[in-house]
Amino acid sequence: MKREYVDVTIDGREIRAPRGEKILWVALENGIEIPHLCALKGQDPPWGGCRLCWVEVEGRGLVTACTEPVRQGMVVHTDTPSVRRLQRRALELLLADHPMDCKNCPKRDRCELLKWMRFLKVKVPKDLRPFPEKRYPVDTSHPVLNFDPNKCILCGRCVWIAKEVVGCGVFDFVWRGYDIRISTFMGKPLKDTDCNGCLKCAEVCPVGALWGK
Amino acid sequence: MSKEEVEAVEEVLESCPRERRHLIRILQAIQEKLGYLPEDALREVALFFGISPAEVYGVATFYNQFRFVPLGKFHIVVCMGTACHSMGGALVLDAFQRELGIKVGEVTPDRKYSLERVGCIGCCTQAPVVVVNGRIFPKMTPYKVEEVLAKLKAEDELGGDKEQG
């Protein structure tokens, strides 16, 4: 019978972790910070869309920590130059399309984008605005939930939690390419959807796209 | 949806197993019958497969082939293939958008004109090309856009539905 646990080394620390657990959650539970924006515990399969949680596994190279399960004897480094380079570039690309209206942002105190900007010492890239700023209307129709698609970084957390946890399925990705966005059915205002106002999506939203009133 | 449209949707769904993998096929079949995907049809499909309407909408918007408004009486297709694009297809498209007051994928409020952009039509020597209900208008310019629209308007007033397939 296979053992329930495996021993891994993360940043020089020897850690005993449940078999099959993803590197990201093992590291986080042991106080080792790995930047991540789209991952939520319980997602199966993991979304792996934000491309922030890069780590280097010896003998395996660069992998995303949210998709890679720990294996016996694995040696992981979370703070190498190539890891940081990839993470900074991924974050810069997210910022390139994000309105930095932090002063007026309802999530400014718990914005995960800002958190990882500070962690990775990334500044707002001034030269990375190849597309005109998109302007979608802000939806304030719902009694408890607000939605600003302009701030959305397309992490997909709200889509997953609405579909798999709450079961309301209010959100999904719509359109494609530069036009892709999170939307309700036919872009209807939230008050005309099945939203029951549980605010789970606002809780997991890493930025100021979804927030409670 | 009208009564006929409801019946058409029901007919399509009747012959389909309730498995999500048939979603795109069903959307195609409904559009084949109705010419577009009405909102209520998307709701019916979501109900049928037991998924959320937003998910159906997400799938349908991903593909260019699906439309959510019926075609106009004159469906104007502007070619944006490589040849047409380099010969000023974008200017022609802009002219149509300006003249009709609609954007790509939309229909004028009177349901007379709809506008679409496509990749190559295949007659690149005639670039830039516009196709209206299967009829080709070659070597277009923004100026000729007015001419074409005037022609279509005259045909419409004559009541002539001389469309070539």
Side-chain angles (χ1 to χ4, degrees):
Chain A
M1 203 184 111
K2 275 189 173 176
R3 283 183 308 160
E4 300 275 296
Y5 288 87
V6 292
D7 295 300
V8 292
T9 311
I10 304 180
D11 287 353
R13 275 177 55 191
E14 279 171 25
I15 294 166
R16 175 155 284 200
R19 174 179 294 278
E21 183 67 293
K22 305 289 189 281
I23 297 171
L24 178 65
W25 306 115
V26 174
L28 291 178
E29 269 152 34
N30 287 279
I32 299 166
E33 284 273 58
I34 297 175
H36 62 284
L37 280 170
C38 71
L40 286 174
K41 210 167 177 179
Q43 277 176 334
D44 185 34
W47 179 248
C50 71
R51 315 315 281 172
L52 275 187
C53 64
W54 293 103
V55 294
E56 205 165 335
V57 175
E58 279 184 19
R60 177 92 167 68
L62 290 153
V63 294
T64 42
C66 68
T67 56
E68 193 67 16
V70 287
R71 285 176 224 282
Q72 178 61 35
M74 204 180 222
V75 182
V76 182
H77 302 281
T78 70
D79 189 9
T80 68
S82 42
V83 163
R84 291 301 183 224
R85 226 186 76 221
L86 277 175
Q87 288 173 334
R88 289 200 179 103
R89 180 45 56 92
L91 193 54
E92 279 173 1
L93 287 170
L94 287 174
L95 291 168
D97 201 28
H98 186 76
M100 296 303 281
D101 184 25
C102 301
K103 255 192 291 184
N104 305 313
C105 182
K107 284 264 189 86
R108 62 182 176 273
D109 298 327
R110 50 200 185 93
C111 175
E112 290 178 42
L113 208 52
L114 281 174
K115 175 179 159 190
W116 299 123
M117 276 173 77
R118 289 190 199 108
F119 182 85
L120 293 168
K121 299 190 180 63
V122 167
K123 293 208 167 60
V124 183
K126 290 273 187 297
D127 56 338
L128 258 179
R129 279 200 177 275
F131 318 115
E133 250 180 89
K134 290 177 250 184
R135 283 277 154 247
Y136 303 124
V138 180
D139 184 355
T140 55
S141 68
H142 197 273
V144 293
L145 181 66
N146 285 322
F147 179 36
D148 181 356
N150 303 295
K151 298 247 178 79
C152 177
I153 56 164
L154 302 172
C155 69
R157 280 182 178 180
C158 56
V159 175
W160 179 77
I161 211 139
K163 209 180 281 181
E164 305 291 336
V165 179
V166 183
C168 62
V170 164
F171 298 107
D172 213 324
F173 290 98
V174 301
W175 302 103
R176 178 163 40 93
Y178 302 138
D179 296 322
I180 195 168
R181 71 195 81 151
I182 301 289
S183 166
T184 55
F185 175 60
M186 302 296 277
K188 293 205 177 297
L190 277 166
K191 71 171 164 51
D192 297 335
T193 64
D194 291 341
C195 175
N196 61 5
C198 71
L199 293 183
K200 284 240 168 49
C201 51
E203 260 167 52
V204 295
C205 179
V207 292
L210 285 162
W211 74 100
K213 288 199 176 161
Chain B
M1 285 196 295
S2 68
K3 208 177 153 219
E4 293 83 46
E5 286 178 326
V6 174
E7 275 167 13
V9 171
E10 275 169 7
E11 199 182 314
V12 169
L13 292 178
E14 249 170 38
S15 59
C16 176
R18 284 179 194 257
E19 292 165 39
R20 196 191 173 286
R21 64 195 173 95
H22 295 293
L23 176 57
I24 292 172
R25 193 167 67 80
I26 285 300
L27 292 176
Q28 283 171 330
I30 291 173
Q31 177 155 304
E32 179 88 354
K33 289 212 164 178
L34 306 181
Y36 74 116
L37 296 176
E39 186 184 321
D40 292 334
L42 295 178
R43 279 188 201 283
E44 281 301 313
V45 171
L47 210 62
F48 180 79
F49 288 114
I51 57 182
S52 77
E55 192 172 341
V56 177
Y57 183 58
V59 171
T61 51
F62 184 88
Y63 297 97
N64 270 355
Q65 60 177 303
F66 295 121
R67 36 189 316 122
F68 305 97
V69 282
L71 295 177
K73 183 176 175 193
F74 297 105
H75 184 50
I76 301 166
V77 177
V78 182
C79 180
M80 286 295 224
T82 315
C84 290
H85 191 274
S86 59
M87 292 298 282
L91 296 174
V92 175
L93 185 65
D94 278 349
F96 271 114
Q97 296 191 123
R98 203 167 47 238
E99 290 291 322
L100 296 170
I102 55 171
K103 292 200 183 96
V104 170
E106 292 179 350
V107 184
T108 51
D110 59 5
R111 294 268 172 98
K112 294 274 192 222
Y113 304 96
S114 52
L115 194 56
E116 188 188 357
R117 57 171 287 174
V118 296
C120 191
I121 286 169
C123 44
C124 305
T125 52
Q126 308 292 312
V129 172
V130 169
V131 181
V132 181
N133 293 354
R135 190 166 23 153
I136 289 173
F137 291 87
K139 299 195 173 156
M140 288 293 292
T141 61
Y143 177 70
K144 278 168 108 180
V145 165
E146 274 179 64
E147 280 177 32
V148 169
L149 286 176
K151 205 169 172 183
L152 295 178
K153 194 164 174 241
E155 273 176 33
D156 184 37
E157 276 161 10
L158 278 172
D161 247 337
K162 300 176 291 183
E163 285 156 26
Q164 292 154 18

